[in-house]
Amino acid sequence: MRLARSGDREFDLILWGATGFTGQLVARHLVSHYDRDVLNWAMGGRNEHKLAAVRDSLGAPDLPLVLGDSHDQSAMETMAARTGVVCSTVGPYARYGSPLVAACAAAGTDYCDLTGEAHWIRRMLDGHHQQAVATGARIVPTCGFDSIPSDLGVFFLQREMRSRQGAPARHVKGAVARLKGKASGGTVASMLNLMEEAGADRSVRRILADPYSINPEGQRSGPDGRDSLAPSYDEGFKRWTAPFIMAGINTRVVRRSAALLPDVYGEGFRYQESMLTGRGVGGAVKAYVSAGILAASLGALSIGPIRRLIAPRLPQPGEGPTPQQQENGSWEMRFLADPVLVRVTGDRDPGYGSTSKMLAESAVCLALDPIEAQGGFHTPASAMGPLLIDRLQRNAGLTFSS
Ligand SMILES: NC(=O)c1ccc[n+]([C@@H]2O[C@H](COP(=O)([O-])OP(=O)(O)OC[C@H]3O[C@@H](n4cnc5c(N)ncnc54)[C@H](OP(=O)(O)O)[C@@H]3O)[C@@H](O)[C@H]2O)c1
């Protein structure tokens, strides 16, 4: 039973981490798309001066501010009790996110974030899913470029399959066809933190390698094997492919959606994801070079001293692509299950311009839309499915087509 609905709380939505690189972009999106009488929201963070400066820069002097520190459990509980939804951009989530998820699960407060950290999602699932089911809190991680395009792209394809072929596809392949953008300091910090935890703890490595690591308990096996790091020619896409770094989280999220929505995905569902590098010899060379660079980078970053040497040269927290770079960015992903080919595109750089709009619309969808999902840990598809696809196409510059 849900403890309370948004309307019973002081706010519909609190944006937690509004001073960060992505948080400011989310705040800008909310200010430009939603009047306060439509969406009653507040900005949260640990530094009042920084929050006030962001509020000034947005030209929204009446926007309420909520203060607290991510490590302060009672501050997180107080915040979660004041709002229907918390939208968090405070990462690395494995370092800062756990008290807030615990607080939301306990208070029946909906939650969404930008994590791509599968081991942390599993930790939160194990610790708080049952309580979220009991209180009605819908906890929805991975509402950014990882993993909304993959998750909703496959969901969209399965609905197309059902309407055209009468049944969902058993095997779907996803691939990145175009990716123009840069990483921010927050993302670099999340990646380095993940390598750090994986280096120190074998159970983290085991979770990261498990293709069904975030599936519901009792459904953590299936026909898909471990991720391939090898280049290969794909007969369906008729192109060479290289491994895609985000497949490690995207495939897990898609498989969890399949487990949560058996009517949409059917039995024995399989999903893999890669990056298209082109046709002919050029495509093959690019596939081998990309695979080699990825393997070498992961190998180097897994060694502590090398990681510590490289880290200061990478973007630092608070830094990221310029507005011009975000504007000039774009991406396209394709999802194939013969005879249906789905294209999902975004009109900004994937990591920030597009991600901030995806996260903002996910939070608004949780706050305002008549979603039917019950409490518990969700994926974007299982929580919001068609309602979110609709919002993303109207307000976030995404297209879904087949
Ligand atoms: N899924 C995706 O596609 C995607 C894309 C982009 C980013 N991300 C993830 O999103 C997260 C944020 O990235 P970013 O580049 O925006 O990071 P960022 O610029 O470093 O921002 C981090 C935010 O967390 C706040 N914070 C840090 N420690 C805190 C604490 N103890 N209590 C309260 N607030 C605290 C910071 O507050 P101060 O301003 O006061 O320091 C800031 O608002 C990262 O985990 C990143 O991996 C995911």
Side-chain angles (χ1 to χ4, degrees), residues 5-217:
R5 303 218 56 96
S6 309
D8 305 327
R9 307 274 173 109
E10 184 181 349
F11 302 114
D12 296 327
L13 167 63
I14 293 177
L15 169 61
W16 180 237
T19 55
F21 191 85
T22 321
Q24 291 189 45
L25 296 173
V26 175
R28 197 162 291 285
H29 180 90
L30 293 176
V31 165
S32 63
H33 283 74
Y34 298 97
D35 288 339
R36 292 285 307 295
D37 53 353
V38 173
L39 182 75
N40 173 20
W41 68 287
M43 295 198 305
R46 62 177 165 178
N47 183 323
E48 191 171 4
H49 295 297
K50 262 180 145 176
L51 278 171
V54 171
R55 182 170 62 181
D56 288 347
S57 77
L58 295 171
D62 296 335
L63 209 51
L65 304 181
V66 174
L67 283 171
D69 189 288
S70 280
H71 299 300
D72 180 345
Q73 185 66 52
S74 87
M76 295 301 97
E77 285 166 11
T78 305
M79 176 167 74
R82 294 175 71 183
T83 181
V85 180
V86 176
C87 168
S88 174
T89 65
V90 176
Y93 293 87
R95 193 181 296 158
Y96 300 116
S98 305
L100 178 56
V101 169
C104 288
T109 300
D110 291 339
Y111 167 93
C112 58
D113 72 22
L114 287 179
T115 187
E117 300 147 82
H119 69 301
W120 178 71
I121 298 174
R122 171 63 179 274
R123 213 178 282 157
M124 294 300 98
L125 246 172
D126 289 349
H128 307 294
H129 176 69
Q130 287 312 332
Q131 189 169 31
V133 169
T135 62
R138 292 164 300 205
I139 310 290
V140 196
T142 65
C143 291
F145 185 64
D146 42 340
S147 302
I148 277 187
S150 304
D151 193 34
L152 292 182
V154 177
F155 178 83
F156 184 87
L157 180 145
Q158 291 294 43
R159 285 163 54 102
E160 279 295 304
M161 283 294 289
R162 195 173 277 286
S163 79
R164 286 201 220 167
Q165 306 287 105
R170 285 179 76 98
H171 189 182
V172 179
K173 289 180 191 170
V176 177
R178 186 175 74 248
L179 203 61
K180 227 174 129 198
K182 283 179 75 176
S184 82
T187 295
V188 169
S190 294
M191 204 177 69
L192 295 176
N193 188 63
L194 189 125
M195 305 295 277
E196 199 84 44
E197 290 200 34
D201 185 342
R202 184 146 33 123
S203 70
V204 170
R205 291 200 291 281
R206 216 178 293 130
I207 289 174
L208 293 176
D210 177 357
Y212 294 95
S213 57
I214 58 169
N215 267 36
E217 219 177 331

Side-chain angles (χ1 to χ4, degrees), residues 345-360:
T345 66
D347 67 350
R348 293 282 186 280
D349 75 300
Y352 301 92
S354 268
T355 280
S356 56
K357 295 193 282 184
M358 288 188 253
L359 179 64

